């Protein structure tokens, strides 16, 4: 009786599909089962050619846009930088890297390069600092907050050239309203005012002021969006733990603005580095190269000297500088890293 009861046509565990004796799953399949599972895992982990073909209709427009707007112009620019192009625009053959030699042998290249770095660092730094304060104010509830938020967008909505022209003519020695105001409050002694846009240092400084002014809206709203994502419970917990406003801001709020600040700083670096209209309007009437950046130097090569080949070489250098700055920034800041 007992022997009949113990005997079973199925092995132990067969009814439930579980392995006997605590054997690991897939052991009964042997090596073949392991290979099959590995192949399936690999197929799930890495997309194959069929998956890429299926995704191609969706990514093709973006790829075409990148090729047409970024890669193709960059290729043409590099090609032109290795050619000798006449003043009339005729291609007279290859010159190798002679145009790059001319760029680096230009006596004012390194002062212009360091002035460009100062331009980017000062404008981006001031923009971020002021935007942090503006965003913190606009994040509070007060009467007329919606109107103030809309007013902040005005410099962004207006033309950069128009804004710069308003400031430029406002600084004119005799009839400029900004210059007249500075005379009235006693900052300038002479009644006719001061030639702000006639001197390289002051014109460059006012260009920085305009660049910060037109960069504030985007940066402020980016930080404001980051502030909106901070949970109120986190701030409440910090207050309950006895943290004051400053400690709460620097230990709780600011770390959670990492993503918003990273995006704002990165885009501002690229935009400010490539900025031409502000400097062109504010410093374009000053002779020489004492107020130039790399972008204005490229413009002078094309507009004044008609050296398209040398301008292309300097454009390639500028493109590489931006790539290096962005790569170093992403490597150091790690904007995608979690807090």
């Amino acid at each position: 009786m007992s022997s009949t009861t113990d005997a079973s046509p199925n092995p132990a565990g067969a009814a439930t599909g579980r392995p006997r004796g605590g054997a690991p799953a897939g052991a009964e399949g042997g090596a073949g089962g392991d290979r099959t599972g590995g192949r399936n895992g690999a197929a799930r982990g890495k997309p194959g050619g069929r998956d890429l073909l299926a995704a191609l209709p969706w990514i093709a427009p973006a790829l075409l846009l990148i090729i047409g707007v970024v890669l193709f112009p960059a290729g043409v620019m590099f090609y032109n930088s290795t050619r000798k192009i006449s003043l009339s625009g005729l291609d007279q053959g290859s010159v190798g890297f002679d145009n790059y030699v001319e760029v680096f042998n230009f006596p004012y290249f390194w002062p212009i390069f360091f002035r460009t770095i100062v331009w980017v660092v000062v404008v981006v730094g001031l923009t971020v600092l002021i935007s942090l304060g503006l965003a913190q104010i606009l994040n509070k509830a007060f009467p007329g907050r919606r109107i103030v938020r809309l007013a902040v967008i005005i410099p962004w909505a207006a033309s950069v050239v128009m804004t710069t022209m308003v400031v430029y003519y406002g600084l004119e020695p005799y009839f400029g309203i900004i210059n007249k105001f500075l005379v009235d409050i006693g900052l300038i002694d002479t009644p006719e005012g001061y030639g702000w846009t006639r001197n390289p240092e002051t014109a460059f400084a006012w260009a920085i002021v305009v660049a910060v002014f037109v960069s504030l809206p985007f940066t402020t709203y980016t930080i404001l969006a980051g502030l909106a994502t901070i949970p109120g419970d986190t701030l409440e917990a910090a207050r309950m733990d006895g943290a004051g406003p400053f400690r709460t801001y620097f230990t709780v709020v600011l770390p959670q603005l990492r993503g918003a600040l990273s995006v704002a700083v990165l885009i501002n670096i690229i935009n400010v580095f490539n900025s031409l209209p502000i400097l062109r309007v504010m410093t374009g009437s000053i002779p020489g190269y004492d107020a130039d950046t790399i972008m204005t130097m490229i413009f002078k090569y094309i507009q004044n000297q008609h050296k398209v080949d040398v301008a292309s070489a300097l454009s390639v250098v500028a493109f590489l500088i931006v790539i290096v700055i962005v790569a170093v920034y992403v490597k150091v800041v790690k904007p995608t890293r979690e807090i």
Side-chain angles (χ1 to χ4, degrees), residues 268-291:
N268 272 306
I269 288 174
I270 298 173
N271 287 341
V272 173
F273 186 94
N274 293 317
S275 177
L276 173 64
I278 296 174
L279 289 166
R280 173 60 185 164
V281 173
M282 295 299 298
T283 66
S285 61
I286 300 175
Y289 306 98
D290 294 331

Side-chain angles (χ1 to χ4, degrees), residues 136-226:
Q136 196 66 26
I137 294 173
L138 295 177
N139 195 45
K140 304 296 182 182
F142 58 87
R145 182 177 68 167
R146 181 176 298 178
I147 298 176
V148 176
R149 284 187 172 187
L150 290 175
V152 172
I153 304 179
I154 293 177
W156 198 13
S159 168
V160 175
V161 175
M162 181 190 73
T163 304
T164 311
M165 291 295 291
V166 169
V167 177
Y168 180 85
Y169 285 113
L171 294 171
E172 283 296 308
Y174 295 100
F175 56 85
I177 186 173
I178 300 176
N179 198 78
K180 184 68 168 61
F181 172 76
L182 296 176
V183 172
D184 292 342
I185 63 176
L187 289 180
I188 301 176
D189 298 330
T190 57
E192 67 273 11
Y194 182 79
W196 298 103
T197 59
R198 304 294 183 265
N199 299 280
E201 294 80 9
T202 54
F204 189 75
W206 277 103
I208 290 176
V209 172
V210 177
V212 171
F213 179 71
V214 300
S215 301
L216 285 176
F218 166 77
T219 311
T220 301
Y221 269 84
T222 303
I223 297 174
L224 194 60

Side-chain angles (χ1 to χ4, degrees), residues 1-8:
M1 181 70 177
S2 59
S3 59
T4 307
T5 306
D6 293 337
S8 175

Side-chain angles (χ1 to χ4, degrees), residues 115-130 204-205 208-209 211-212 272:
R115 192 178 300 111
T116 304
I117 300 301
V118 171
W119 162 258
V120 173
V121 171
V122 174
V123 172
V124 175
L126 290 176
T127 299
V128 171
L129 289 177
I130 298 174
F204 189 75
I208 290 176
V209 172
V212 171
V272 173

